[in-house]
Structure formats: C-alpha cells, structure tokens
Amino acid sequence: MTEPAPVFAGGVDHERLTSQLRFFLETDKLKRILRRNMLVDGARRENAAEHSWHLALAARVFAEYAPEGADVDRVVEMLVLHDIVEIDAGDTFLYDREGQSTQAERERAAADRIFALLPEDQAGRARELWEEFEARRTPDARFAKAIDRLAPMLANWHTEGGTWVRHGVTRAQVMDKVKIIAEGSEALGAYASALIEDADRRGYFSRG
C-alpha cells in the first residue's frame, strides 16, 4: 500500500488524517479495475473509477426521476462508494454465473479490509451506505441501483450491442435488470424497457 507523505498541518489529529490519506491513496487502485463494457464511443473499456464518477453525476442529472423520499445527496455518496470493493474483488460481469456465485463473499471481505482504513466514524458510515446499496431496501438504494443498471445498457446500445453481443446475452437476461431499474425509478424503468425493445429490433441479443 502507498504510504501518505509524513507532512502535517498544525492543529489537526495526525492519526485521523493519516487514516484518511491511507484510504484515499488505496482507492486510487480503482482506476486500474477494468469493466467489461466499452466507453460510449467504443474507444476502450471503462474502468471502475470512471464508472463510479459517471453514476454519481447521473444521480444529479436524473434527480427529478428519483422516487418520493429519496435523498439524492445520499445516493451520490452511495454511488461513489459502491464499487470500491472491486479493488480486491475485481469487477464481476453481470452475466457471469460462476463469478456471481462468489461475488458477495469476495466483496464483503474487501469491504472489511478497505473501509476499515478510514477513521472509525467514517468507516462505519461508508460500510452502512455500501450495505444499504447492496440490500436495495430503501428509496435511496433502489434509485442508486437503477442508475447502476441503466448506465451499461446505454453503453451497450451505443456500441451496437457491446457486451450483449460479445457474450451472447439474451433479451430475457437483460429484461431481468430492467425490473431493477423500474423498482428504483418508474421513468427510468420505462426508458430502459423502450431501449431494450429497440436493441432487440436491431439484433443485439442472442436468440439462444
């Protein structure tokens, strides 16, 4: 792990700042975790840090489509944190059954290690938000998950099927993810349904 440079400003809790710096430097590793989907222009694969930033931006842009009672500030914080566990666990492809079978265990172990680098109060909040996102039981978490599921669909549509074509994904498999979007946002769910219908007409899905 990269150690923070031992330079401190006066009047600060050195131990606390060191913990915060250690966590911040550790999360730089998220930039090297490649996802399966391409950038919208097809130039290269997206990395997990870019994905997290783009989702946080999307939460602001699409805030008017959030369910009643959702706190968009919490949604943004949740989205910034949600994939940090991939530093240890790696990116698990949405349609990889074998990878999905061990994903929860791998990501929980990663959360145990990485969030614990923070001071106790910040570690507790980060872990709670990550757990909330995974459980999808609150309006905030459902909206965050809806955005997380919509983003790769948009990338795949704009790259002529993208990972759907490369990995032989069926329309039915993708429609299962559309249900998750609709749970978090009626408007975004309706848009996603229309997008998948159009993708189907274009022949982006496997018929197998």
Side-chain angles (χ1 to χ4, degrees):
M1 181 192 304
T2 303
E3 289 294 322
V7 178
F8 297 99
V12 301
D13 181 333
H14 292 183
E15 184 176 351
R16 181 177 178 85
L17 178 56
T18 296
S19 294
Q20 292 165 331
L21 287 166
R22 188 169 287 123
F23 173 81
F24 175 73
L25 292 169
E26 183 70 3
T27 58
D28 187 75
K29 294 176 182 177
L30 196 62
K31 299 172 186 176
R32 70 187 187 194
I33 304 299
L34 291 179
R35 292 167 50 80
R36 298 293 183 95
N37 62 281
M38 306 294 288
L39 300 182
V40 170
D41 68 359
R44 60 171 174 81
R45 288 167 66 184
E46 176 186 51
N47 71 52
E50 293 169 330
H51 170 69
S52 296
W53 161 77
H54 214 188
L55 298 189
L57 179 63
R60 289 292 182 198
V61 173
F62 303 141
E64 65 198 86
Y65 308 118
E68 185 176 356
D71 180 339
V72 175
D73 285 338
R74 289 186 79 256
V75 172
V76 169
E77 190 174 1
M78 204 176 285
L79 289 169
V80 169
L81 293 168
H82 84 290
D83 271 348
I84 282 176
V85 294
E86 292 186 0
I87 290 169
D88 288 356
D91 176 60
T92 303
F93 184 46
L94 202 55
Y95 304 103
D96 175 3
R97 291 183 180 179
E98 183 177 350
Q100 292 285 328
S101 70
T102 63
Q103 182 180 9
E105 180 181 357
R106 288 183 285 109
E107 292 189 348
R108 190 164 296 279
D112 289 342
R113 183 189 75 83
I114 299 168
F115 293 136
L117 297 174
L118 284 164
E120 186 174 353
D121 60 320
Q122 290 184 315
R125 177 173 177 81
R127 183 59 181 260
E128 287 173 7
L129 286 168
W130 180 77
E131 296 276 7
E132 182 180 339
F133 174 83
E134 292 298 315
R136 261 180 35 236
R137 295 195 187 101
T138 65
D140 294 349
R142 287 191 290 270
F143 185 55
K145 185 66 81 169
I147 292 169
D148 185 41
R149 288 290 179 262
L150 178 62
M153 290 183 186
L154 289 167
N156 282 333
W157 189 92
H158 281 279
T159 52
E160 298 182 343
T163 58
W164 298 331
V165 172
R166 286 196 299 277
H167 298 281
V169 176
T170 67
R171 181 180 181 278
Q173 286 177 294
V174 180
M175 287 303 294
D176 278 344
K177 313 309 175 189
V178 171
K179 292 176 186 175
I180 294 174
I181 299 173
E183 287 174 4
S185 170
E186 183 179 349
L188 296 183
Y191 175 79
S193 292
L195 190 74
I196 300 314
E197 290 294 338
D198 186 69
D200 195 15
R201 286 193 295 271
R202 293 169 182 262
Y204 294 163
F205 299 120
S206 170
R207 303 301 177 183

